[in-house]
């Protein structure tokens, strides 16, 4: 039997926009489901289990910010915000809530489809070359082939972007990586240009990995240059 198409959930209260997005995604072989408000979106998410959610911010009832928060409580499904809110603070907020990308309206449907494909590629990373497939730093073990991070044997849930960023830093432990280098690892095709996106993801990683996120030991900031993963990261801690 043929494999059923993967479903993408579009949460958009403008029916013309939703229909346009659906048409372009379906041409690429995806199935689509649509919701015009937050409550319906959360119910459909549980029913259809989509591989990705395209989410407007200004929707009736529960807004897009809160839908994202609720999804992130129990799922690492990729989320792409599609919104008319174009201020940098809105982009940063969306990313800080756990979204993988943020597209501003008006938008190019073709570009949107390419961003969806790029996010899904990052969510299912191919086998990296060399020793990057299995990285160990103290109690932390990153298994790229299984897309799994454990700390003292316990899994740590990371988004696709967080995983890729941590993998790059752990592979270069002790060496400073600039924001530009890290952006290239996260978005090799230039899908997203937000200066603070690396800082947002580093902040989320610190919340998940550091004993004291306000005074990070492992994910170090090197002012004026970028970030470094300590060579002795995780030592003696579980």
């Amino acid at each position: 039997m043929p494999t059923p198409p993967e479903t993408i959930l579009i949460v958009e209260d403008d029916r013309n926009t939703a229909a346009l997005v659906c048409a372009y995604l379906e041409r690429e072989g995806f199935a689509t489901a649509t919701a015009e408000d937050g409550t319906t979106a959360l119910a459909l998410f549980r029913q259809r289990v989509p591989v990705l959610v395209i989410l407007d911010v200004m929707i009736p009832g529960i807004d897009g910010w809160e839908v994202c928060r609720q999804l992130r409580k129990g799922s690492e499904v990729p989320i792409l915000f599609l919104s008319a809110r174009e201020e940098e603070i809105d982009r940063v907020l969306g990313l800080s809530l756990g979204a993988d990308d943020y597209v501003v309206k008006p938008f190019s449907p073709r570009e949107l489809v390419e961003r969806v494909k790029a996010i899904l590629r990052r969510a299912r990373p191919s086998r990296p070359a060399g020793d990057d497939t299995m990285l160990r730093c103290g109690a932390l073990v990153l298994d790229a082939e299984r897309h799994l991070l454990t700390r003292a044997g316990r899994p740590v849930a990371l988004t696709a972007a967080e995983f890729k960023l941590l993998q790059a830093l752990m592979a270069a432990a002790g060496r400073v990586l600039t924001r530009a280098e890290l952006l290239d690892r996260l978005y090799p095709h230039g899908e997203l240009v937000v200066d603070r996106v690396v800082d947002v993801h580093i902040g989320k990683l610190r919340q998940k990995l550091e004993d004291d996120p306000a005074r990070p030991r492992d994910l170090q900031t090197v002012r004026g240059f970028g970030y470094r993963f300590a060579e002795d990261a995780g030592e003696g801690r579980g």
Side-chain angles (χ1 to χ4, degrees):
M1 294 179 61
T3 303
E6 296 175 315
T7 298
I8 294 178
L9 175 59
I10 298 101
V11 187
E12 170 63 65
D13 63 333
D14 184 283
R15 294 185 179 182
N16 290 332
T17 299
L20 179 65
V21 174
C22 286
Y24 273 81
L25 289 171
E26 288 167 4
R27 288 180 195 172
E28 297 297 320
F30 294 102
T32 59
T34 60
E36 295 184 7
D37 62 82
T39 301
T40 303
L42 292 171
L44 266 179
F45 180 83
R46 292 188 292 269
Q47 294 169 13
R48 300 293 299 271
V49 193
V51 296
L52 183 140
V53 177
I54 296 176
L55 180 59
D56 190 8
V57 173
M58 297 179 287
I59 51 176
I62 304 172
D63 66 19
W65 303 134
E66 183 59 26
V67 171
C68 185
R69 288 189 188 95
Q70 293 196 28
L71 290 178
R72 276 290 168 264
K73 288 179 181 178
S75 173
E76 297 301 327
V77 65
I79 297 172
L80 182 152
F81 273 110
L82 179 61
S83 174
R85 299 175 68 115
E86 61 183 4
E87 297 298 323
E88 183 186 16
I89 190 171
D90 295 310
R91 296 172 185 248
V92 171
L93 176 57
L95 294 167
S96 69
L97 291 175
D100 296 83
D101 204 344
Y102 192 108
V103 175
V104 175
K105 300 175 182 175
F107 63 98
S108 160
R110 292 185 180 87
E111 181 186 355
L112 180 69
V113 169
E114 290 307 311
R115 291 196 184 210
V116 165
K117 290 179 178 179
I119 292 170
L120 291 175
R121 284 196 300 270
R122 294 196 298 271
R124 303 156 186 158
S126 57
R127 183 185 178 98
D131 295 333
D132 290 6
T133 54
M134 184 68 74
L135 300 168
R136 300 175 185 272
C137 290
L140 294 176
V141 178
L142 185 147
D143 184 341
E145 190 169 339
R146 298 167 59 201
H147 203 262
L148 176 67
L149 176 73
T150 58
R151 182 178 182 183
R154 295 184 293 273
V156 180
L158 300 180
T159 66
E162 290 166 358
F163 190 94
K164 199 160 191 175
L165 183 62
L166 182 63
Q167 182 182 1
L169 287 164
M170 288 180 67
R175 182 165 66 87
V176 179
L177 295 181
T178 66
R179 285 178 176 82
E181 287 178 298
L182 292 170
L183 278 172
D184 285 343
R185 303 290 183 91
L186 285 173
Y187 307 106
H189 305 292
E191 300 96 336
L192 182 64
V193 181
V194 178
D195 291 341
R196 293 177 59 193
V197 65
V198 170
D199 304 326
V200 171
H201 288 311
I202 290 289
K204 302 294 277 189
L205 281 169
R206 283 173 173 162
Q207 290 294 326
K208 296 178 179 182
L209 300 178
E210 297 281 1
D211 292 331
D212 184 357
R215 297 178 180 178
R217 168 183 161 172
D218 296 345
L219 289 163
Q220 302 171 350
T221 300
V222 181
R223 295 193 181 281
F225 292 94
Y227 293 98
R228 174 175 56 214
F229 195 78
E231 289 183 279
D232 63 346
E235 292 292 344
R237 285 175 286 163

